[in-house]
C-alpha cells in the first residue's frame, strides 16, 4: 500500500504502514478481494487525494466520511464523483452554496472536483474504501487511524491551513488540529437532511479565500470547467 502513496506523503507517513492497525487493514482488504466483494474506489484511486494534492501543496482540507458506494462514483476524492455520473445530492447543495457565495460561479455539468485538488485542496475522506452498495461497511477497520494521523501530521508540520469541517462527524476531528496555527470553518453538513440547518448561507468558500488572501497564499478558483 505504501508504494501507492506519493513520495511527499510517504516521507511523513511511512511509519504508519508498519503499524499493527495497518497490517490488519491490509489483511481485511485482501479478504474482501478474495471473497469476491467489489470494493470502491478501484485500487489505483484509493490514495487519489494524496497523489493529486501533494503534501507541500496542501493549503485547504475538506473532510468527508466515506466514499460513495455506487458503481463508478468514488475515485478517491471526498464529495467528488467521476465525470458522466449523476451529481450526488450533497454535492448539488455544495454547488448551490457556491452560486450564492462566489460571484459568477456557475454549477458545472459534472461532479468531478479534481480541479480543486490540483489547487491545494486535500479532499480527504476519513475512510478510504467501501464495499459496493454498502455504506459505511469499511468503517472501524483501520482507515480512521490512518486519516487521523494525516490530519495530525498536517497540523503539526504545516501552518495556516484552512480545515473545512461540515457536520458533526467532521467537526469531531477538530481535536486533532492546532487552532493556534490553523483555521477551522465549521457548519452543518451539505446533506439534504441538514443543509437547511446551517450549511446554506455559511459562505465557506469566500471565507476560505479571505483567509488565504490574508495568509499571502493564492486564492482558490472554485469554478469547475
Amino acid at each position: 500500500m505504501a508504494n501507492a502513496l506519493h513520495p511527499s506523503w510517504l516521507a511523513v507517513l511511512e511509519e504508519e504502514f508498519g503499524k499493527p492497525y495497518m497490517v490488519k487493514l491490509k489483511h481485511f482488504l485482501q479478504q474482501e478481494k478474495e471473497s469476491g466483494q467489489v470494493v470502491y474506489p478501484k485500487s489505483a484511486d484509493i490514495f487519489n487525494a494524496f497523489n493529486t494534492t501533494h503534501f507541500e501543496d496542501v493549503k485547504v482540507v475538506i473532510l468527508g466520511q466515506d466514499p460513495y458506494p455506487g458503481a463508478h462514483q468514488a475515485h478517491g476524492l471526498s464529495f467528488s464523483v467521476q465525470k458522466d455520473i449523476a451529481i450526488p445530492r450533497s454535492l448539488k447543495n455544495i454547488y448551490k452554496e457556491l452560486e450564492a457565495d462566489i460571484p459568477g460561479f456557475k454549477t458545472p455539468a459534472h461532479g468531478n472536483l479534481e480541479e480543486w485538488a490540483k489547487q491545494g485542496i486535500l479532499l480527504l475522506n476519513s475512510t478510504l474504501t467501501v464495499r459496493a452498495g454498502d455504506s459505511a461497511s469499511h468503517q472501524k477497520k483501520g482507515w480512521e487511524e490512518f486519516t487521523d494521523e494525516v490530519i495530525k501530521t498536517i497540523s503539526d508540520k504545516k501552518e495556516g491551513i484552512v480545515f473545512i469541517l461540515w457536520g458533526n462527524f467532521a467537526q469531531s476531528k477538530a481535536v486533532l488540529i492546532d487552532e493556534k496555527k490553523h483555521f477551522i470553518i465549521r457548519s452543518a453538513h451539505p446533506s439534504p437532511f441538514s443543509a437547511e440547518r446551517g450549511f446554506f448561507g455559511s459562505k465557506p468558500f469566500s471565507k476560505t479565500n479571505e483567509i488565504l488572501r490574508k495568509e499571502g497564499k493564492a486564492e482558490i478558483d472554485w469554478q469547475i470547467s
Side-chain angles (χ1 to χ4, degrees):
M1 291 172 74
N3 294 336
L5 202 64
H6 187 269
S8 67
W9 286 101
L10 195 58
V12 294
L13 295 171
E14 188 170 16
E15 288 183 6
E16 297 305 303
F17 290 90
K19 291 183 177 179
Y21 81 84
M22 186 60 78
V23 174
K24 283 185 177 180
L25 174 59
K26 287 188 282 189
H27 181 63
F28 166 74
L29 292 173
Q30 185 63 30
Q31 284 183 316
E32 290 282 86
K33 181 179 179 180
E34 290 174 356
S35 66
Q37 295 290 345
V38 176
V39 172
Y40 297 132
K42 64 183 181 181
S43 296
D45 285 342
I46 290 175
F47 293 112
N48 197 17
F50 305 93
N51 296 332
T52 308
T53 310
H54 302 165
F55 180 74
E56 63 271 16
D57 297 329
V58 174
K59 54 187 178 183
V60 180
V61 178
I62 298 181
L63 186 63
Q65 190 163 0
D66 283 282
Y68 297 113
H72 309 300
Q73 288 184 302
H75 63 129
L77 306 178
S78 63
F79 294 99
S80 180
V81 291
Q82 298 183 66
K83 291 183 178 179
D84 301 320
I85 296 296
I87 300 173
R89 291 181 295 173
S90 291
L91 185 51
K92 285 182 179 179
N93 285 337
I94 290 170
Y95 287 163
K96 184 176 179 181
E97 177 63 15
L98 274 160
E99 286 195 343
D101 186 20
I102 301 297
F105 180 87
K106 302 294 183 185
T107 292
H110 63 85
N112 189 310
L113 305 180
E114 284 185 7
E115 291 179 36
W116 292 359
K118 290 175 180 177
Q119 295 180 72
I121 301 180
L122 182 67
L123 296 167
L124 179 66
N125 276 320
S126 181
T127 301
L128 299 187
T129 56
V130 68
R131 189 180 297 165
D134 190 4
S135 298
S137 52
H138 285 189
Q139 288 183 7
K140 299 179 180 167
K141 302 297 184 182
W143 279 128
E144 294 92 339
E145 291 182 62
F146 176 72
T147 54
D148 281 0
E149 188 61 34
V150 170
I151 295 168
K152 286 189 286 186
T153 298
I154 293 170
S155 179
D156 291 345
K157 295 184 178 294
K158 298 180 76 71
E159 292 187 5
I161 303 299
V162 181
F163 290 85
I164 299 177
L165 307 181
W166 290 325
N168 292 334
F169 174 81
Q171 289 170 34
S172 74
K173 302 297 183 179
V175 296
L176 306 172
I177 303 163
D178 184 352
E179 293 192 61
K180 295 178 182 177
K181 295 170 57 184
H182 304 288
F183 306 90
I184 297 179
I185 296 175
R186 299 171 171 88
S187 79
H189 195 275
S191 159
F193 304 105
S194 57
E196 297 283 359
R197 300 199 299 268
F199 175 73
F200 290 137
S202 63
K203 300 185 181 298
F205 311 104
S206 60
K207 288 177 181 177
T208 294
N209 275 351
E210 182 180 358
I211 292 168
L212 293 175
R213 188 165 57 250
K214 289 180 179 177
E215 289 288 299
K217 299 176 182 179
E219 297 178 34
I220 302 298
D221 179 3
W222 296 102
Q223 185 62 59
I224 293 168
S225 58

